[in-house]
């Protein structure tokens, strides 16, 4: 089994269409589960770094790890707009 590296996570995210200028949706589960209590935010990808990517969330900047896009993290999920 191939060891997951920061570069392989970034390459996998880029294959899905992650790039600067791409719109994203961030879905936060308030209670840790996918129930009715969820909050959704939107933003635009600004830059890709080795371990994370940076987004303009409309008035503030936020960074996300590639795992939040590629895998189901508990509580927070990042989705590319249109997918």
């Amino acid at each position: 089994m191939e060891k997951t590296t920061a570069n392989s996570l970034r390459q996998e995210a880029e294959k899905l269409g992650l790039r600067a200028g791409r719109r994203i949706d961030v879905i936060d589960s308030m209670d840790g589960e996918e129930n009715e209590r969820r909050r959704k935010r939107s933003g635009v990808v600004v830059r890709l770094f080795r371990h994370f990517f940076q987004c303009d969330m409309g008035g503030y900047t936020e960074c996300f790890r590639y795992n939040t896009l590629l895998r189901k993290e508990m509580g927070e999920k990042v989705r590319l707009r249109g997918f």
Side-chain angles (χ1 to χ4, degrees), residues 19-56:
R19 63 184 180 282
R22 187 70 189 256
R23 294 199 52 81
I24 62 158
D25 291 325
V26 181
I27 301 166
D28 293 322
S29 181
M30 302 298 241
D31 57 2
E33 296 180 18
E34 285 200 35
N35 291 340
E36 300 169 7
R37 298 189 64 198
R38 297 191 312 175
R39 184 178 65 166
K40 184 177 173 182
R41 307 182 314 255
S42 297
V44 178
V45 177
V46 178
R47 291 179 64 187
L48 303 177
F49 293 95
R50 184 174 181 193
H51 298 284
F52 60 92
F53 57 99
Q54 182 181 23
C55 298
D56 177 12

Side-chain angles (χ1 to χ4, degrees), residues 1-82:
M1 178 181 246
E2 182 181 326
K3 183 179 178 182
T4 303
T5 63
N7 285 336
S8 66
L9 290 175
R10 179 178 172 168
Q11 290 171 355
E12 193 176 336
E14 287 175 338
K15 286 179 186 176
L16 289 175
L18 183 68
R19 63 184 180 282
R22 187 70 189 256
R23 294 199 52 81
I24 62 158
D25 291 325
V26 181
I27 301 166
D28 293 322
S29 181
M30 302 298 241
D31 57 2
E33 296 180 18
E34 285 200 35
N35 291 340
E36 300 169 7
R37 298 189 64 198
R38 297 191 312 175
R39 184 178 65 166
K40 184 177 173 182
R41 307 182 314 255
S42 297
V44 178
V45 177
V46 178
R47 291 179 64 187
L48 303 177
F49 293 95
R50 184 174 181 193
H51 298 284
F52 60 92
F53 57 99
Q54 182 181 23
C55 298
D56 177 12
M57 302 300 284
Y60 65 96
T61 302
E62 193 169 349
C63 297
F64 301 96
R65 295 178 306 157
Y66 293 110
N67 283 353
T68 58
L69 175 67
L70 301 172
R71 293 168 179 75
K72 292 186 177 181
E73 294 284 319
M74 184 170 177
E76 183 174 74
K77 296 175 189 159
V78 176
R79 294 201 177 125
L80 297 175
R81 182 78 57 90

